[in-house]
Amino acid sequence: MQSHFLDFETPIAEIEAQLVELRRLKESGEAVDEEISRLTRLSQEKTQAIFSNLDPWKITQLSRHPQRPYTLDYVANLFTDVEFLAGDRCFADDPSLVGGVGRFEDHPILFLGHQKGREVKEKVARNFGMPKPEGYRKALRLMRLAETFRLPILTFIDTPGAYPGVDAEKHNQSEAIARNLEVLAQLRVPIICCVIGEGGSGGALAIGVGDRLLMLQYSIYSVISPEGCASILWKSASKAPEAAATLGLTAERILDLGLADEIIPEPPGGAHRDLATTMKSVRAGIAKHLSVLLSKPVDDLVAERLNRLMHFGVYTN
Amino acid sequence: MWWSRWRTAQEAGEKKPRKGIPEGLWTKCPGCTAVLYRPELDRNLFVCPKCGHHFRIGARQRLQWFLDPDSAVEIAANLSPVDFLQFKDTRRYRDRLVQAQKTTGERDALVTVTGTLLGQPVVVAAFEFSFLGGSMGSVVGERFVRACNTALEMRIPFICFSASGGARMQEALMSLMQMAKTGAALSRLSRYGVPYFSVMTDPTTGGVTASLAMLGDINIAEPGALIGFAGPRVIEQTVRETLPEGFQRAEFLLANGAIDLIIDRREQRDRMGKLVRLLKPPPS
């Protein structure tokens, strides 16, 4: 697959384009090995230079990169014996929030995740990763299934947010999100949440309450999108880069606030540039926390989770 | 002391006009355009005597009308907000807080008290919409949780009147986490069978609707209140069509099965007092 580069990656993109050309020439017998290794080194250096100094707006763009691994990529690479489970048992199946059962390192688990689409048709079918109430209610149903069969829950967060639509309101998406928060707080199985791309507001939180919050290095998590924040507070969506900076939505800032437990490092250039390495890091991150959580008595697990939730907040007394 | 702070709030309110609360002797009803005599409107709990339009009212005014006279004792009054992100848009969050505190006389957007309703002990929380749009940040979340915990310890019902634009952007992700925190606190009430009555007033939107407001054992709304997750303008921009008549109003929610009932402000003491007597928590 041809790599897609963001605007701020233009210097890397130019070198990579030259490399594509050289590899083509090499195939037709031209002696270009030396130039290839020189440019490969140069590309790595440029990547290193650009990625060692990313501002929150650039990280926001990376978190939404069209080639970034989505939930289904993690499901395919991290789990075995997978079966997807559909529907809220009341109204519909929501393809923007997927879930199912499978094995992680031989352990039976239940997974949930937002799913965006790659091509236009799939993007529309997946509603750009914005769940509707039936999606949250499917998630709720599966959470309860997990509790019944003592399956740890792994969630993958990647959504611009809840869907602002007429039907979503008519079907009371507020209640659907709120109910998940209430149920997740008391669920008697380990829950690990991992932000893989965009953590957008209530739509993210509806599968985001758990015992651990992991964030990929170039993922974001925010109460409102930088564009939305900018249009409300600055009255102009073009101030999104400023909003991204002030919202503190990067993994690093969220770790500092004590809301995330661990940042999972991404390969140079981002998760999409080296899928195998990304999967290895995410696997290791989940495995480490899961084994700790599985060793806890369930009563302690829930008590610790409630305690963690009750300590969210900064104020003076 | 609750009373002294409350008076300060009222005096401050008289000097600075609050959105929704009419000033002066005569006022026009936004519902039916009737010209109303303010003292009569006041006696009528700020409900238009002609058309029943419910004016927005402040948190302390509401508590005074709802609870038995002199029964209220404030919970967690000293908690104050902090600008921990040094958040700055066109203005600093710190400056916005100072101004909101000055104009409302409140430290933050939620007032929590214990008191009695028709002689029965209850815990009540009320949002102050004129404090940064009733937005939920750390102090609102913590006060809500402490009120919840008081209800739990005393095994008495918890009632919350919401009026909020949602999560407080200036506290960024920490404000989103207040949704998780208040939801978790309510999950404990529900485990112990302590009843929670959520009363949604105009307007209740965003992260407050999608957490504490929709989790009532009984969900109640005031007539005509705007209640929803996404705001109507955002939805209009997304779907690019005009919204149906009465969309996201209390009556729309009732018809679509989202809430249990609509109660007129003038009947709230009696009817909620009755509900409180019917839904008793088990003895601890």
Side-chain angles (χ1 to χ4, degrees), chain A residues 162 164 169-170 172 174 178-179 181-182 186 205 223 232-234 246-247 253 309-310 312-317, chain B residues 79-80 84 88-89 138 142 146 172 174-176 178 181 185 187 191 209-211 228-230 238 248 256 258:
Chain A
E169 292 292 320
K170 202 170 162 182
N172 203 4
S174 308
R179 190 65 57 201
L181 308 181
E182 187 198 31
Q186 297 272 353
L205 193 64
V223 66
I232 295 171
L233 293 180
W234 279 268
T246 197
L247 280 167
R253 293 289 300 278
L309 292 167
M310 292 307 161
F312 288 159
V314 181
Y315 48 83
T316 59
N317 208 338
Chain B
L79 298 185
S80 294
F84 55 91
K88 184 171 178 284
D89 47 89
S138 299
E142 180 65 18
R146 293 205 190 173
M174 198 59 90
S175 67
L176 188 76
Q178 302 310 306
K181 177 172 173 170
S187 76
R191 266 183 104 77
T209 318
S211 59
F229 183 62
T238 310
Q248 292 183 318
N256 282 291

Side-chain angles (χ1 to χ4, degrees), chain A residues 126-273:
Chain A
R126 304 262 184 208
N127 202 28
F128 303 89
M130 290 183 283
K132 297 178 182 176
E134 47 271 29
Y136 306 122
R137 292 188 175 121
K138 168 167 71 180
L140 178 67
R141 181 176 77 79
L142 296 181
M143 291 167 198
R144 290 193 160 128
L145 183 84
E147 187 175 52
T148 305
F149 296 99
R150 299 170 307 281
L151 306 176
I153 299 176
L154 308 176
T155 79
F156 298 93
I157 295 168
D158 188 16
T159 178
Y163 180 60
V166 173
D167 281 353
E169 292 292 320
K170 202 170 162 182
H171 298 148
N172 203 4
Q173 66 177 333
S174 308
E175 190 273 347
I177 294 171
R179 190 65 57 201
N180 287 9
L181 308 181
E182 187 198 31
V183 169
L184 282 169
Q186 297 272 353
L187 214 64
R188 296 177 65 76
V189 290
I191 307 163
I192 297 176
C193 309
C194 184
V195 188
I196 56 172
E198 271 182 287
S201 187
L205 193 64
I207 58 166
V209 176
D211 303 299
R212 295 286 188 275
L213 180 67
L214 317 181
M215 287 187 71
L216 263 73
Q217 190 177 358
Y218 305 128
S219 70
I220 61 165
Y221 199 175
S222 184
V223 66
I224 185 169
S225 71
E227 291 88 343
C229 179
S231 55
I232 295 171
L233 293 180
W234 279 268
K235 317 280 179 222
S236 158
S238 67
K239 294 284 183 188
E242 284 88 337
T246 197
L247 280 167
L249 42 65
T250 61
E252 217 171 288
R253 293 289 300 278
I254 290 162
L255 187 79
D256 286 346
L257 277 179
L259 296 175
D261 300 278
E262 186 165 345
I263 299 176
I264 297 178
E266 295 189 28
H272 57 288
R273 296 286 294 276

